[in-house]
Amino acid sequence: MQRYTISVNRNSKVSLRDLINRPPENFVDAVDFLIAEKDGLPHDAILEFPTIGVLSASLNDREAADLKADPRVTQLREDRRVTGSPLPSPIRIAGEFITNDQPWHLEVINAKKCWPTTTGKGIKIGVIDSEIAPNLPFLPIKDGLSFNPSAPNWYEGSDFHGTFCAAIIGCRPTHPSMIGVAPDCDLYALRVNKNGSGRSEYLAAAIIWATGNKLDVLSMSQWDPDGADDPHELPWDDVSRAADDYVKAGGILVGIAGNSGTFPKPWVTNPGRCSGVVAVGGTKQDTKWWNGSSYGPDDLPELESVEIAAPGYAVNSIMPDGSVQAGVGTSFAAPQVAGACALLKQLKPDLTGADLRAILKKAARDLDIAGKDAKTGFGLLDCEQAVTSLLHV
C-alpha cells in the first residue's frame, strides 16, 4: 500500500467519497484532523480536502491503476515528502561567516533603509516550517498550530530550521546581533515538519487554515529533496490549489526554488512550481548565484519558475538557544522576501498578493542577463527600491 493524493476537476460535481470504496468513517476533514491528531497519520485515514477537490489515501496497486484510468481524476500522485533542509549540503557553516554585528544580508537587500518608514508592524506572517522556539523574548510568536499528526505542538523538538527562518523574517532588535527584515511583524508558527520531514498534504492544510484565518503573508521554505523527476514535472495539485485560493483571498505565499542546483536534474522543485507560490532562488554574499539553488528549465512558465533571488549562502540567523549561526539554502532566501512583503503591506494594507508579487519583481536588481533568467528570476530582492516605488506611485 502506498499513499496517494487524488484530485478531481474543481468545477465538476464529482463526490470525492465516490472515488474510493471505503467506509464513511475513514473519511476525515484533512485540516481539522491534522490539527487534532497527535499519534501519527493512520494508514486507513482518508484525508478529505473538500474545498480544493483533493483526497489523500493509501491505495493498493489495483486501486491506484483504476483511479489512474478514471476520467474523473485529474491527477494521481504518489505521496512525496517535503523538507526544509538543503540536502546534501551542510545546513550550517561555522567560523568566519558568524558575526557579532547585524546580519550582512540586510545590507545586500537594502532592508535597513526602509525601517524609518516601515517595519512590517501588524502584518500577519505564517511560517510553514518545523517547530519554532517558544520562549525567546526577541522572537515572539503570536499563535501556532501543528499540521503534522506526529508532532504534538508547534514548538517542541530539536530542529532549528523553523526558528532560523522565523528570525530572518521578524527577529526583534532586542537581540544583540540579529534583527529580522520586518522586525515588528506578527509571526504565526504553522508546523508541518517533524525531524526535518513532512508531507505535501500538511502544507495544503496549513495554507487552507491561513486562508480562513486571513494571514497576510506565508513563508514556506519547503522542497522535494528528491528533486524534480522531469523538467516539466506538474505542480502538486493539493498545494497548488490551496495556494491559488490563498492568493485569490489576497495573500502572498513565498516559497523556494529548492536546493537541487548541483543535482543531475537541477530543475525547480515542487512546491515551488505551483503558480500560487513565489519561487525564490539563492545568491552568495557577492550577489552571485549560489550553485545549489534549483533552476530551470528555461521554458518553464514565469509563475512556475524562479521569480526573484535573495541571499541564500551563509545567511545569519538565530538558533533555538538564541545564538547566531550561518545557514545555507534557498530556505533562508525566502523569509527575506516574505519580510519585504510585510514592509510593503504595512504601507498599503489593501495591496493584494498579486500586487506585492509584481512590485517586488519590478524593483529587483538584475544579476545576470538583462531581464528574467532561469537562475535568479527578475533579479535580487531590493526592499528599498520596492518601498520607494510604492510611495511614489
Side-chain angles (χ1 to χ4, degrees):
M1 300 282 279
Q2 166 72 38
R3 184 165 284 273
Y4 289 80
T5 56
I6 309 136
S7 55
V8 299
N9 189 317
R10 298 183 71 176
N11 297 320
S12 71
K13 296 182 179 180
V14 174
S15 169
L16 291 172
R17 297 191 177 197
D18 289 342
L19 295 174
I20 306 173
N21 184 21
R22 300 289 169 80
E25 60 268 22
N26 286 19
F27 291 83
V28 295
D29 180 85
V31 178
D32 292 344
F33 181 83
L34 292 174
I35 292 172
E37 181 62 37
K38 302 307 172 193
D39 294 322
L41 182 59
H43 174 76
D44 59 353
I46 301 174
L47 303 179
E48 191 172 16
F49 294 89
T51 61
I52 60 173
V54 173
L55 287 177
S56 167
S58 295
L59 307 173
N60 59 40
D61 291 344
R62 177 61 183 271
E63 289 172 322
D66 288 346
L67 284 171
K68 188 174 183 179
D70 191 324
R72 298 172 296 175
V73 174
T74 58
Q75 188 178 94
L76 179 74
R77 173 176 58 82
E78 287 191 19
D79 185 60
R80 298 285 284 270
R81 80 181 184 97
V82 294
T83 186
S85 298
L87 304 173
S89 305
I91 189 71
R92 299 199 304 271
I93 299 177
E96 62 187 286
F97 298 109
I98 299 176
T99 68
N100 292 318
D101 199 358
Q102 290 183 350
W104 62 269
H105 62 266
L106 295 175
E107 298 285 352
V108 173
I109 64 172
N110 287 328
K112 296 168 70 173
K113 295 177 181 179
C114 302
W115 294 339
T117 305
T118 175
T119 55
K121 187 174 180 62
I123 303 304
K124 300 176 182 179
I125 303 183
V127 185
I128 300 177
D129 214 291
S130 68
E131 63 270 24
I132 298 176
N135 297 315
L136 299 177
F138 35 77
L139 192 66
I141 304 301
K142 196 79 170 179
D143 198 2
L145 285 171
S146 173
F147 298 88
N148 186 316
S150 297
N153 51 54
W154 58 267
Y155 51 84
E156 287 182 324
S158 58
D159 190 347
F160 76 95
H161 196 272
T163 302
F164 207 86
C165 289
I168 293 170
I169 300 170
C171 183
R172 302 310 196 233
T174 51
H175 191 284
S177 55
M178 179 62 195
I179 185 170
V181 174
D184 285 325
C185 71
D186 293 332
L187 292 169
Y188 290 75
L190 308 182
R191 183 178 185 177
V192 294
N193 290 347
K194 182 178 181 181
N195 299 326
S197 183
R199 297 174 182 266
S200 66
E201 299 97 318
Y202 308 164
L203 304 183
I207 297 166
I208 291 169
W209 183 90
T211 304
N213 286 274
K214 302 185 185 308
L215 268 61
D216 300 300
V217 180
L218 291 176
S219 182
M220 184 174 71
S221 293
Q222 300 289 304
W223 69 298
D224 181 348
D226 294 323
D229 288 334
D230 182 271
H232 298 101
E233 179 178 291
L234 293 174
W236 293 345
D237 262 0
D238 51 353
V239 179
S240 187
R241 293 181 179 188
D244 287 345
D245 284 358
Y246 177 70
V247 172
K248 287 175 184 175
I252 184 166
L253 200 173
V254 183
I256 61 176
N259 303 297
S260 61
T262 59
F263 288 15
K265 300 176 179 180
W267 309 305
V268 174
T269 66
N270 269 299
R273 284 185 177 237
C274 299
S275 61
V277 178
V278 181
V280 181
T283 64
K284 297 186 293 185
Q285 289 172 302
D286 59 4
T287 73
K288 301 293 185 184
W289 173 72
W290 170 56
N291 71 351
S293 182
S294 303
Y295 65 95
D298 291 340
D299 61 348
L300 270 184
E302 180 179 320
L303 299 186
E304 296 179 17
S305 62
V306 177
E307 295 183 60
I308 196 167
Y313 183 85
V315 176
N316 293 125
S317 190
I318 61 172
M319 302 295 287
D321 64 1
S323 64
V324 176
Q325 293 204 32
V328 176
T330 54
S331 281
F332 311 133
Q336 297 170 56
V337 177
C341 292
L343 299 179
L344 295 170
K345 188 84 171 176
Q346 181 193 335
L347 294 173
K348 291 196 175 182
D350 59 342
L351 289 172
T352 66
D355 294 332
L356 293 168
R357 198 170 191 168
I359 291 167
L360 290 174
K361 290 193 286 189
K362 186 175 181 180
R365 304 200 304 271
D366 259 331
L367 293 178
D368 198 352
I369 60 174
K372 185 178 182 296
D373 65 82
K375 293 181 177 178
T376 60
F378 285 89
L380 183 68
L381 173 68
D382 190 331
C383 298
E384 181 188 25
Q385 180 59 35
V387 166
T388 299
S389 68
L390 181 64
L391 293 176
H392 291 86
V393 172

